[in-house]
Amino acid sequence: MTNPRYSTIRQVAVHVPVDRQTGPEIEDEVRSRNPGVRLMPGLLRQMYGFEERRVAPPGTWPSDLAAAAGRRALEQAGLAPGAVDLLIFASASEDVEEPATAHAVAHKLGVTAPVFDVQNACNGVLNALEIADALIRAGRYARVLVTTGERSSRLSALPVRDRRELALLLPALTLGDLGAALLVEASDRPGILAAAFCANSSGWQAATVTNPYFGQADGAPAVRFDSAALAASFPGLEARAFDALHAAGRNPGDLDLVCVHQPSVAFTRAILDTLAVPEDKAVPVFTAYGNVATAGLPLQLAGAAEQGRLRPGDLVALFGLASGASGGLVLLEWSP
């Protein structure tokens, strides 16, 4: 295989569960599960701008959501599963600790190519795109299917003992379920133009989900989101990640569309302001879907395409911030 000059995203697809759960419904559920803990009505809307999320049916695995989206991407491209050279699963959720959830996704799709998982909190899909682009440019593969399946709504069922534990769990109450897939192919036209990633790993303890093999000796909750500590670990990451834009000879004013990680309405606005990007170049999804982690950026791409806001030749930035903490940007020219 000769080394291609470029890679491009040929298709983006999402699988959206039918069931919805509103903020008041989530708050009522938390009160019923934890009768000793008070939760102010409307708190999720007041704090995060949250309205509702999508919830997958009981018994749904992350691989089910990823496979459904992957199947749609292949169908849209008119391709059979055998046309995939590599499958990557890049989610914050997973079916099992071992083996890689990518195996389950591939099995459900009928894909027999090599597979592996990539995990970096909410930046997993961005990292997977960087890897897919590098492997395609190196001539290793011609077609890579990047998939993700987030099943994080299950975290809302975790018990809390007091107001402190509730505060640490609160951001998780906005997490929604979604599947997404991006088909990345070798191309002789510009597609993925640049990528940049950075990290402030000293902030890794701000947001954690406990490994099932290691219990918490102090009885602390399995999920811990310290919003203040997490926010304190981000400053500077967005500017460093956006260096890729300037290195490519572009500036924020050149962008036709900007997809950003959306854990709340206020956070999204703050990031757009920091990046000097007007809100009309973004695709708001948080209020209707909640925080869907790695699936959020593909969801915005798919939404923009459906709304007629994504045209061949458009300059698009995919920008992510994730617990850890890490920042990432993938710059692309839309050329499906």
Side-chain angles (χ1 to χ4, degrees):
M1 183 188 298
T2 58
N3 290 12
R5 187 176 179 185
Y6 303 109
S7 75
T8 191
I9 298 175
R10 177 176 172 184
Q11 293 289 340
V12 58
V14 295
H15 173 71
V16 182
V18 174
D19 291 343
R20 291 176 165 88
Q21 190 176 33
T22 67
E25 289 171 343
I26 295 169
E27 292 165 0
D28 287 343
E29 185 177 285
V30 171
R31 293 188 196 98
S32 67
R33 290 178 180 273
N34 308 277
V37 176
R38 296 181 60 186
L39 182 61
M40 185 181 74
L43 185 62
L44 296 180
R45 178 184 291 113
Q46 179 180 328
M47 291 192 64
Y48 306 109
F50 176 82
E51 295 293 339
E52 66 177 24
R53 66 182 179 184
R54 297 303 181 96
V55 179
T60 302
W61 293 89
S63 62
D64 293 326
L65 299 172
R71 188 174 297 109
R72 180 169 297 177
L74 291 175
E75 289 173 352
Q76 289 174 177
L79 295 172
V84 176
D85 298 321
L86 173 70
L87 185 146
I88 303 175
F89 179 76
S91 176
S93 304
E94 58 185 8
D95 284 19
V96 289
E97 189 78 10
E98 186 180 348
T101 299
H103 287 291
V105 178
H107 175 69
K108 291 171 182 179
L109 284 174
V111 169
T112 57
V115 306
F116 58 81
D117 285 3
V118 170
Q119 192 173 59
N120 187 20
C122 295
N123 275 343
V125 161
L126 281 183
N127 291 122
L129 288 176
E130 181 187 36
I131 293 168
D133 175 60
L135 290 172
I136 288 173
R137 287 175 184 256
R140 294 291 303 279
Y141 304 102
R143 184 175 290 118
V144 180
L145 183 62
V146 174
T147 65
T148 182
E150 296 293 2
R151 189 68 174 87
S152 302
S153 69
R154 296 173 299 177
L155 297 178
S156 297
L158 291 172
V160 291
R161 297 172 297 188
D162 51 38
R163 291 180 63 84
R164 175 183 171 278
E165 288 190 1
L166 177 62
L168 293 174
L169 180 66
L170 206 57
L173 302 182
T174 69
L175 294 172
D177 301 337
L178 201 80
L182 301 106
L183 188 64
V184 188
E185 293 185 348
S187 174
D188 58 0
R189 296 180 299 166
I192 296 177
L193 305 177
F197 292 88
C198 53
N200 172 23
S201 298
S202 63
W204 76 267
Q205 296 182 75
T208 58
V209 179
T210 305
N211 186 305
Y213 292 110
F214 295 89
Q216 300 291 87
D218 61 357
V223 177
R224 182 180 184 276
F225 289 96
D226 185 334
S227 298
L230 186 59
S233 67
F234 285 150
L237 293 183
E238 70 281 352
R240 290 165 59 192
F242 239 57
D243 285 346
L245 186 64
H246 303 298
R250 309 295 182 96
N251 60 65
D254 298 327
L255 296 171
D256 298 295
L257 186 75
V258 180
C259 302
V260 300
H261 177 52
Q262 298 184 21
S264 76
V265 171
F267 183 92
T268 304
R269 289 172 178 161
I271 291 301
L272 291 174
D273 287 345
T274 301
L275 301 176
V277 173
E279 288 190 32
D280 62 2
K281 290 189 176 183
V283 185
V285 296
F286 176 80
T287 55
Y289 295 92
N291 180 356
V292 288
T294 59
L297 297 178
L299 174 63
Q300 293 167 61
L301 272 180
E306 186 176 332
Q307 297 163 19
R309 298 178 55 192
L310 194 54
R311 299 167 297 275
D314 278 356
L315 187 65
V316 181
L318 308 179
F319 177 74
L321 284 172
S323 59
S326 70
L329 179 136
V330 170
L331 182 67
L332 57 95
E333 182 177 313
W334 188 247
S335 54

